[in-house]
Amino acid sequence: MHSFALSRADDPAKAIAAHARDERLAFIAGGTDLLGLMKDRAALPERLLDINGLADMARIEALPDGGLRIGALARMSDVAANIDLRGRFPVIAESLLFAASGQLRNMASIGGNIMQRTRCAYFRDDDGPPCNKRRPGSGCSARYGRNRNHAIFGWSDACVATHPSDLAVALAALDANVVVLGLAGERLIPFTDFHRLPGSTPERDNMLGRGDLIVAIDVPPRVEGRASHYLKVRDRESYEFALVSAAAAVATDRRHLRSVRLAMGGIAHKPWRLAAAETALRGVSLDDIDALRSAIAESFIDVRPLDHNGFKVELAQRVALRALQTAGERA
Ligand SMILES: Cc1cc2nc3c(=O)[nH]c(=O)nc-3n(C[C@H](O)[C@H](O)[C@H](O)COP(=O)(O)OP(=O)(O)OC[C@H]3O[C@@H](n4cnc5c(N)ncnc54)[C@H](O)[C@@H]3O)c2cc1C
Ligand code: SF4
């Protein structure tokens, strides 16, 4: 195990300043991803700054506009059990409950969850196969290698990895905001802009820089939130990352879709919003399966499967349809 020094933060401003000036320092919350990365030698920080003592960052509270603020240090299990959130945003609670295991969810924080890194096996392999995310410029072993679990949208020749967080898919569907405290003060990053596509710099997963601390996630008061659902398909029933997943949230007029929010996981380097399908689904009856299917297909016109994951093209559309139908039944 890589050796490191551990200290504890008691003040956000000091924590941010330390992170900004020291490239070898990493924040640690639950440690459920970071310590694994360190064991795999995919992350080698020399100093860990434990942020769990920072005040107020574990709260879940109502916002004046009717939305909800989820503190970055709130634990996945606490958020999933929150009664207000379960009623207003079942898609968030479900995305958390389908993730990891009970023990992990008790430990893992919301901020750490959206910051977790890809599960691409080459990236996590400490034997060091070429991996641009791990060692920029070394190549991508998955591009023509084992890419069954990899992206079908938005990839580049430099990296074909997918983002593993289930929660991130639900938050993207609801247009949540990431509340970030940096050297220049607080800023909001729209969730759909938070994670990046790989392009030629796959070593960067998201828009955060040195000295940036996630303080909370703000979920706006979406009318579609109550009629929402998260559906996850994986190789085994529990304790497994998504092969393909979908977060759907809808508002209806009787059985007709008035507005739809649809995002998918397991298919791109970031949560993938089905914008064309959302538009095409407006006004469609939940009872017209063919029309629902062809509206969803609008978002798959430019799909680009790899050698071993062509099955995801059909699977993703079926998962999106089923998630949409379940959300519709809740409307
Ligand atoms: C076996 C296993 C199975 C899993 N299955 C799933 C699954 O099915 N679905 C799923 O979504 N996840 C799954 N996970 C991932 C798990 O949810 C994450 O490991 C966890 O959410 C990370 O949170 P943490 O608090 O432990 O983060 P840490 O490990 O402490 O930190 C992770 C990263 O986030 C950074 N960080 C943490 N907090 C902040 C902050 N406030 N601001 C800025 N940076 C921060 C750290 O510096 C680090 O880089 C699984 C993990 C394991 C080990
Ligand atoms: S897909 Fe990305 S993470 Fe996986 S080997 Fe290629 S560069 Fe590395």
Side-chain angles (χ1 to χ4, degrees), residues 179-209:
V179 186
V180 177
L181 196 57
L183 289 173
E186 193 171 287
R187 67 188 194 278
L188 295 186
I189 305 179
F191 206 87
T192 44
D193 296 339
F194 182 75
H195 295 98
R196 299 177 69 248
L197 289 179
S200 58
T201 51
E203 68 276 15
R204 284 194 63 204
D205 293 344
N206 55 57
M207 301 308 287
L208 292 195

Side-chain angles (χ1 to χ4, degrees), residues 118 120 122-123 130-133 139-143 150 158-161 202:
T118 184
C120 172
Y122 299 107
F123 172 72
C131 172
N132 288 321
K133 197 180 270 299
C140 172
S141 297
R143 174 68 183 88
H150 290 66
C159 180
V160 295

Side-chain angles (χ1 to χ4, degrees), residues 76 93-102 104-105 113 116 164-167 230 232 234 238-241:
M76 290 170 73
E94 289 170 350
S95 73
L96 290 164
L97 290 172
F98 281 124
S101 65
L104 282 161
R105 293 195 295 269
N113 183 280
Q116 65 177 292
S165 163
D166 292 298
L167 171 67
Y230 187 73
K232 175 173 176 179
R234 44 194 162 169
S238 73
Y239 201 39
E240 184 57 287
F241 290 89

Side-chain angles (χ1 to χ4, degrees), residues 33 37 116-120 123-124 133 161-164 205:
D33 194 39
L37 290 166
Q116 65 177 292
R117 306 209 71 193
T118 184
R119 304 308 294 195
C120 172
F123 172 72
R124 299 261 168 180
K133 197 180 270 299
T162 56
H163 187 73
D205 293 344

Side-chain angles (χ1 to χ4, degrees), residues 13-322:
K14 284 193 218 155
I16 288 163
H19 192 267
R21 69 171 172 263
D22 183 355
E23 290 221 334
R24 308 309 300 258
L25 179 144
F27 295 138
I28 184 163
T32 62
D33 194 39
L34 184 55
L35 294 178
L37 290 166
M38 289 167 68
K39 288 181 197 160
D40 295 337
R41 303 188 66 78
L44 296 170
E46 286 171 9
R47 283 164 289 283
L48 296 185
L49 186 56
D50 179 345
I51 57 174
N52 288 294
L54 294 180
D56 299 338
M57 275 176 55
R59 286 200 197 145
I60 305 167
E61 55 196 350
L63 290 168
D65 68 357
L68 214 55
R69 172 164 287 198
I70 305 172
L73 288 172
R75 267 37 200 182
M76 290 170 73
S77 47
D78 292 334
V79 179
N82 182 278
I83 296 294
D84 190 23
L85 179 135
R86 288 170 75 95
R88 293 171 59 199
F89 305 106
V91 66
I92 296 180
E94 289 170 350
S95 73
L96 290 164
L97 290 172
F98 281 124
S101 65
Q103 290 93 332
L104 282 161
R105 293 195 295 269
N106 286 341
M107 195 70 196
S109 68
I110 295 303
N113 183 280
I114 64 168
M115 290 292 286
Q116 65 177 292
R117 306 209 71 193
T118 184
R119 304 308 294 195
C120 172
Y122 299 107
F123 172 72
R124 299 261 168 180
D125 184 347
D126 68 355
D127 281 344
C131 172
N132 288 321
K133 197 180 270 299
R134 195 170 164 137
R135 283 188 317 286
S138 62
C140 172
S141 297
R143 174 68 183 88
Y144 297 106
R146 289 186 191 168
N147 52 35
R148 173 181 180 271
N149 293 342
H150 290 66
I152 56 174
F153 284 108
W155 51 267
S156 68
D157 281 330
C159 180
V160 295
T162 56
H163 187 73
S165 163
D166 292 298
L167 171 67
V169 182
L171 296 174
L174 295 171
D175 278 325
N177 286 298
V178 185
V179 186
V180 177
L181 196 57
L183 289 173
E186 193 171 287
R187 67 188 194 278
L188 295 186
I189 305 179
F191 206 87
T192 44
D193 296 339
F194 182 75
H195 295 98
R196 299 177 69 248
L197 289 179
S200 58
T201 51
E203 68 276 15
R204 284 194 63 204
D205 293 344
N206 55 57
M207 301 308 287
L208 292 195
R210 296 304 304 171
D212 280 339
L213 175 72
I214 301 170
V215 177
I217 306 286
D218 281 357
V219 186
R222 296 276 165 229
V223 64
E224 302 91 344
R226 285 183 194 281
S228 65
H229 179 55
Y230 187 73
L231 178 63
K232 175 173 176 179
V233 171
R234 44 194 162 169
D235 283 332
R236 56 182 181 193
E237 260 302 294
S238 73
Y239 201 39
E240 184 57 287
F241 290 89
L243 201 50
V244 167
S245 68
V250 304
T252 57
D253 279 330
R254 292 188 200 93
R255 294 287 293 164
H256 287 80
L257 291 164
R258 180 153 47 88
S259 73
V260 177
R261 305 179 156 272
L262 209 43
M264 300 206 72
I267 62 173
H269 197 257
K270 60 186 285 185
W272 197 253
R273 196 78 182 260
L274 303 191
E278 289 179 1
T279 305
L281 282 163
R282 258 181 239 139
V284 174
S285 165
L286 280 162
D287 300 315
D288 188 344
I289 307 293
D290 289 340
L292 295 175
R293 271 202 193 103
S294 60
I296 289 169
E298 291 284 319
S299 278
F300 286 78
I301 290 166
D302 53 356
V303 66
R304 288 191 304 147
L306 301 162
D307 291 346
H308 303 295
N309 68 6
F311 71 94
K312 279 193 181 182
V313 177
E314 172 68 20
L315 179 62
Q317 292 176 81
R318 288 179 184 225
V319 170
L321 175 63
R322 182 66 72 85

